[in-house]
Amino acid sequence: MGFDTSFHPVDLALVEKRLLPYLAGHGHDDDLDDLITRAVEVRRNRFRAKAWALGVLDHPLCEELPFESRLHVWGRPFFIVGDGPERIAEDLRRYLAAAGGDVDVLAQEMLRRLDPALPGQVRPDEGGRLPGDGTLAEALATPLRMLRGAAVALRAGERTVRRPGDGREFDAAGLLTREVPYCVLEFAAALLPGWMSRGFTWPTRLCADAGIPAVGFTAPTALTGLLRAEFPALDWPAEPDTIVGNYMVGGLVPAPAVTAARAHLAGHRDTLACDPLDLRKIDEAMGVAEILGTAFCEATELYSGMEGNLN
């Protein structure tokens, strides 16, 4: 069983104030439309930035550049060149705020950081195609609407919910108790993307293998809290504080504990059986979470280099 792992700054305020109330059936069906529109914009910015990063791979002198594909393509979100959480966080903010051709301007800046001669020599990879905005929006919205529909159905005493489009029926209780954490993180990451990795690289696994505590990590109950409170009769599973399978959220570090958790991992980096580059990705993601004041969590299968689903 392979793992496409990822490391995420997570805006729990967004989760608790917007996403979970929506999934619990509160408010109106269109209450997340603004976030869905925003997530589509971020998806397009991600796609364009990665096209430039992939373009560097086609440069004949790529191997002579300070360019690491596992970091600059299949690692950091967007296309970010430069070190230190402060600089990375600032570039992340700039990509998130970019509109129109601003992503190309940012990518050109990243090329200059690699080598002042690169702009004009590197072109974005045009091999991939994104669906239209409507299709992207529907893909983002459907899981949320399904879970919201499940909550509404349960409140009405119904046992099943139908999927929009094909009308297929699903067990409402099963959807809520099984799908919420991953769905919530997937949407939160559509607005604030994380770092990509591959293999047994998630922090709680590394700590367990090294025989040290995973300081600061808790079960990701914050991603289901309101729903557990409002639907206490459902058979909610115990949420592990680590990853035990594909397509799941693992350990979560609340925002106040990120600094200590990051320092703990840094202090034991020589005992963690992991490629130094993957440890760097974890540290960068935690460092950015620290700067942004967000939580941090680990997950699997939110991204996939093999499938071209990049961050």
Side-chain angles (χ1 to χ4, degrees):
M1 179 169 54
F3 292 97
D4 286 304
T5 51
S6 51
F7 318 122
H8 300 269
V10 185
D11 185 353
L12 286 185
L14 175 77
V15 169
E16 293 165 354
K17 294 177 182 178
R18 297 289 306 273
L19 301 188
L20 290 181
Y22 181 84
L23 297 186
H26 300 309
H28 304 284
D29 288 345
D30 61 358
D31 279 352
L32 295 189
D33 284 1
D34 61 323
L35 296 181
I36 292 167
T37 298
R38 179 69 189 129
V40 169
E41 295 169 351
V42 173
R43 183 69 185 93
R44 292 209 165 276
N45 287 359
R46 284 166 46 196
F47 182 82
R48 185 62 177 176
K50 289 299 188 186
W52 281 101
L54 288 166
V56 178
L57 291 176
D58 292 330
H59 192 278
L61 301 179
C62 177
E63 293 185 0
E64 299 178 17
L65 298 170
F67 180 82
E68 170 54 69
S69 61
R70 289 175 52 214
L71 182 66
H72 297 116
V73 182
W74 300 290
R76 294 171 178 167
F78 298 106
F79 172 33
I80 296 175
V81 176
D83 296 328
E86 293 83 5
R87 188 175 200 180
I88 294 169
E90 177 58 26
D91 289 335
L92 179 63
R93 291 190 185 101
R94 295 167 70 200
Y95 273 116
L96 289 170
D102 292 346
V103 172
D104 287 353
V105 174
L106 281 170
Q108 293 283 316
E109 179 181 331
M110 301 303 153
L111 293 176
R112 284 193 295 273
R113 292 181 189 179
L114 290 171
D115 186 326
L118 278 186
Q121 297 180 5
V122 171
R123 299 300 307 158
D125 185 304
E126 303 289 357
R129 291 289 183 274
L130 270 185
D133 287 358
T135 302
L136 290 172
E138 190 65 25
L140 288 160
T142 295
L144 301 173
R145 290 173 181 157
M146 281 291 294
L147 291 172
R148 176 179 172 84
V152 171
L154 290 172
R155 291 188 192 280
E158 300 170 1
R159 298 180 61 183
T160 62
V161 60
R162 292 185 181 274
R163 183 165 60 191
D166 62 13
R168 182 181 172 189
E169 281 192 331
F170 292 84
D171 177 70
L175 278 181
L176 283 187
T177 57
R178 184 181 65 248
E179 302 295 338
V180 168
Y182 187 85
C183 178
V184 166
L185 178 60
E186 185 176 40
F187 189 76
L191 296 165
L192 179 59
W195 273 242
M196 293 178 64
S197 183
R198 175 74 182 167
F200 295 90
T201 59
W202 54 93
T204 55
R205 169 68 181 255
L206 298 177
C207 288
D209 288 348
I212 61 175
V215 170
F217 284 84
T218 67
T221 51
L223 303 183
T224 56
L226 177 65
L227 290 165
R228 286 175 178 263
E230 296 202 1
F231 296 92
L234 296 185
D235 187 17
W236 292 97
E239 293 182 330
D241 57 3
T242 189
I243 290 168
V244 296
N246 298 104
Y247 296 95
M248 73 170 294
V249 183
L252 182 145
V253 183
V258 169
T259 298
R262 183 184 176 211
H264 175 73
L265 291 174
H268 290 86
R269 62 183 303 116
D270 292 339
T271 66
L272 300 177
C274 188
D275 186 306
L277 187 57
D278 286 311
L279 292 177
R280 178 178 179 179
K281 294 177 188 180
I282 295 169
D283 183 70
E284 287 185 354
M286 296 187 88
V288 169
E290 190 177 354
I291 289 167
L292 298 181
T294 70
F296 168 89
C297 77
E298 57 191 18
T300 54
E301 276 63 63
L302 259 74
Y303 308 120
S304 172
M306 293 291 290
E307 296 178 4
N309 179 21
L310 306 184
N311 54 346

